[in-house]
Amino acid sequence: MPDVKRSRIANKECSVARAIEIVGDRWSILLLREAYYGVKRFDEFEYYVGIAPNILSSRLKKLVDAGIMVRIPLAEHAGRYEYVLTDKGKDFFPTYLALKKWGDDWLAEPAGPQVVFNDRSSGEEIKYPKLVTARGKPLQVEDIEIVPGAGAVPFNRKRFAAGANMLAGSSAPEKKGAKVRKSAPRKTR
């Protein structure tokens, strides 16, 4: 089997590829943003996101079909529904926060982010956790070793077998004596 076909199979099985299939477009992420802000009704999503009704209907159906939201009939309005986050949808919230933090750090206006999240009980701003290595140092992409997981397809078992690891961020296996380019320093505020 050609390597291109094997890589397509590996992508089909990849949990990141599967997640992107569900939430990897602008509208889905913005709908989740609004759901985290408390929006539940079709017309509210339409208003706050500025999305065409046909696209909104399609994306909400996709999120419902994926089990991220559930559609609940409104008792006071026959034929109308609320879209409520499921546990699966709520579990995406830390991923949304990570994306928001990256956007706030790198893309926000000079005055700062549009929205911040405060702890409901203390009123203090939520602090984003720093990812650290096993030794407690700030995690950098260069610190990562990629190994096949329990569900790895043969293509990835071979690709990430011991000694065949690729340096995260490179497109070719690392060779002895090869120069490794350091990534750009992180933006600070």
Side-chain angles (χ1 to χ4, degrees), residues 100-122:
K100 182 184 180 319
K101 174 156 179 23
W102 182 84
D104 290 348
D105 287 351
W106 291 95
L107 305 170
E109 294 296 323
Q114 293 278 327
V115 173
V116 294
F117 295 109
N118 289 343
D119 182 292
R120 191 179 299 275
S121 60
S122 71

Side-chain angles (χ1 to χ4, degrees), residues 157-178:
R157 287 193 185 284
K158 180 180 175 187
R159 178 179 179 202
F160 298 118
N165 279 322
M166 292 169 45
L167 177 66
S170 73
S171 59
E174 190 176 348
K175 295 178 182 171
K176 281 192 174 182

Side-chain angles (χ1 to χ4, degrees), residues 49-176:
V49 175
I51 185 172
N54 61 324
I55 296 171
L56 174 56
S57 180
S58 169
R59 293 313 187 280
L60 286 172
K61 182 179 182 334
K62 189 176 189 179
L63 293 171
V64 168
D65 290 348
I68 292 172
M69 291 180 152
V70 62
R71 193 170 94 146
I72 300 172
L74 288 171
E76 68 273 12
H77 296 289
R80 298 191 74 183
Y81 300 87
E82 280 190 338
Y83 295 86
V84 179
L85 290 164
T86 63
D87 288 342
K88 187 176 183 180
K90 291 174 185 175
D91 277 355
F92 187 78
F93 187 64
T95 305
Y96 169 78
L97 282 179
L99 180 62
K100 182 184 180 319
K101 174 156 179 23
W102 182 84
D104 290 348
D105 287 351
W106 291 95
L107 305 170
E109 294 296 323
Q114 293 278 327
V115 173
V116 294
F117 295 109
N118 289 343
D119 182 292
R120 191 179 299 275
S121 60
S122 71
E124 294 181 35
E125 188 173 338
I126 299 293
K127 301 289 183 217
Y128 293 87
K130 297 218 183 271
L131 296 177
V132 295
T133 66
R135 295 183 178 165
K137 295 183 178 180
L139 181 66
Q140 300 293 317
V141 71
E142 295 84 6
D143 298 323
I144 297 169
E145 177 185 12
I146 304 165
V147 298
V153 296
F155 176 84
N156 278 335
R157 287 193 185 284
K158 180 180 175 187
R159 178 179 179 202
F160 298 118
N165 279 322
M166 292 169 45
L167 177 66
S170 73
S171 59
E174 190 176 348
K175 295 178 182 171
K176 281 192 174 182

